[in-house]
């Protein structure tokens, strides 16, 4: 089908998911975002996220927050199309493309239990040299926050 006839579902409205939405929109595709949290871009405050959500909707993107994907079902009669079902019971229109832009949260419980300083969101606090709050312990990757 032509790009404008294609429906794409993007699961996850974080930075990766929204980058995918932008690219799909540029190609003229119909896009639905499904985000299980109550707002898109959870690191932002509610007011900022609401402005972005309204802008996406103004551009024709269907934004579904507070719901999650429960199942993928092959659509009847059209090979390759997928029906995305949500935990709320809603079934989305057939999608030709489904992208999982789901974030991960590092498990830093062991670090916190060992006495390393962690942020409220659970990231291990490090300095510019990746040193933690405990002597001779360094941390790297998605689990850290540099202060």
């Amino acid at each position: 089908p032509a790009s404008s006839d294609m429906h794409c579902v993007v699961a996850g409205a974080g930075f990766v998911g929204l980058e995918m939405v932008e690219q799909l929109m540029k190609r003229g595709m119909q896009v639905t975002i499904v985000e299980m949290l109550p707002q898109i871009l959870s690191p932002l405050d509610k007011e900022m996220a609401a402005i972005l959500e309204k802008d996406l909707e103004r551009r024709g993107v269907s934004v579904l927050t507070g719901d999650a994907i429960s199942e993928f079902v092959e659509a009847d009669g059209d090979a390759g199309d997928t029906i995305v079902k949500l935990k709320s019971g809603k079934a989305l229109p057939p999608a030709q493309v489904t992208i999982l832009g789901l974030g991960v949260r590092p498990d830093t419980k062991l670090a916190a239990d060992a006495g390393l300083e962690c942020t409220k969101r659970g990231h291990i606090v490090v300095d510019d040299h990746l040193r933690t709050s405990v002597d001779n312990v360094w941390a790297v990757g998605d689990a850290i926050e540099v202060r």
Side-chain angles (χ1 to χ4, degrees):
S3 288
S4 61
D5 295 332
M6 292 183 72
H7 177 233
C8 307
V9 175
V10 177
F15 296 108
V16 172
L18 291 180
E19 179 64 31
M20 295 296 100
V21 168
E22 179 184 23
Q23 297 307 314
L24 295 166
M25 287 171 45
K26 283 182 181 179
R27 287 159 179 75
M29 298 178 181
Q30 301 167 32
V31 181
T32 299
I33 303 172
V34 179
E35 172 57 56
M36 71 177 196
L37 296 175
Q39 71 178 49
I40 66 171
L41 289 173
S42 64
L44 298 184
D45 60 45
K46 287 182 182 181
E47 294 79 14
M48 290 299 296
I51 292 169
L52 294 172
E53 185 174 328
K54 293 260 186 276
D55 185 61
L56 287 167
E57 290 171 339
R58 184 180 59 76
R59 295 170 186 261
V61 176
S62 176
V63 180
L64 305 173
T65 56
D67 208 348
I69 293 174
S70 63
E71 184 177 11
F72 298 97
V73 179
E74 188 175 334
D76 291 334
D78 205 347
D81 285 7
T82 302
I83 303 291
V84 177
K85 292 188 177 183
L86 305 180
K87 288 189 176 181
S88 65
K90 181 176 183 172
L92 301 181
Q96 292 73 46
V97 176
T98 303
I99 296 174
L100 302 179
L102 308 173
V104 295
R105 289 203 172 98
D107 183 358
T108 56
K109 183 179 180 326
L110 176 66
D113 290 349
L116 278 70
E117 179 186 357
C118 294
T119 67
K120 288 180 184 175
R121 295 186 64 148
H123 292 90
I124 301 167
V125 176
V126 298
D127 66 13
D128 289 339
H129 299 283
L130 305 176
R131 293 179 293 214
T132 69
S133 59
V134 174
D135 287 341
N136 298 314
V137 177
W138 290 262
V140 298
D142 292 339
I144 68 165
E145 182 173 310
V146 179
R147 291 214 176 147

